[in-house]
Amino acid sequence: MHPYLITAKPGRIRRTAVWVRVCVLRILALTVMTVLGAVVLTVRCARPVINYLATRAAWLELWASQHTGLPPFGAAVGSGLTDEFVNEFHRNRRTATAGSPR
């Protein structure tokens, strides 16, 4: 084995390419994190407005059902969707046992 094979440095072009790749990946990661943070912040800030609008829409539907005599279909559909959400996404929480290895 020749000593220059062990101690040889990569060439200037290769080192520059590695540096550019590392910088591009860091910038890309920072961009992705910034975009995701902006989306999460927007959703969290909009949540009270969405809750208010949903409450007003439910109230308007109940008011309209009282005046027209038709049942409130949106409430039935909404409660069904809520039940399905609970069944699908919280199944593990309900069926988990104490001391489970998972």
Side-chain angles (χ1 to χ4, degrees), residues 2-49:
H2 297 288
Y4 68 87
L5 291 176
I6 296 171
T7 60
K9 292 182 180 178
R12 182 174 287 175
I13 294 174
R14 185 176 176 96
R15 287 184 300 193
T16 304
V18 169
W19 180 82
V20 168
R21 187 187 76 201
V22 168
C23 286
V24 166
L25 284 176
R26 287 180 181 172
I27 291 170
L28 182 64
L30 180 64
T31 303
V32 168
M33 288 188 298
T34 303
V35 168
L36 287 176
V39 168
V40 168
L41 180 66
T42 303
V43 169
R44 286 184 178 236
C45 291
R47 190 172 174 194
V49 175

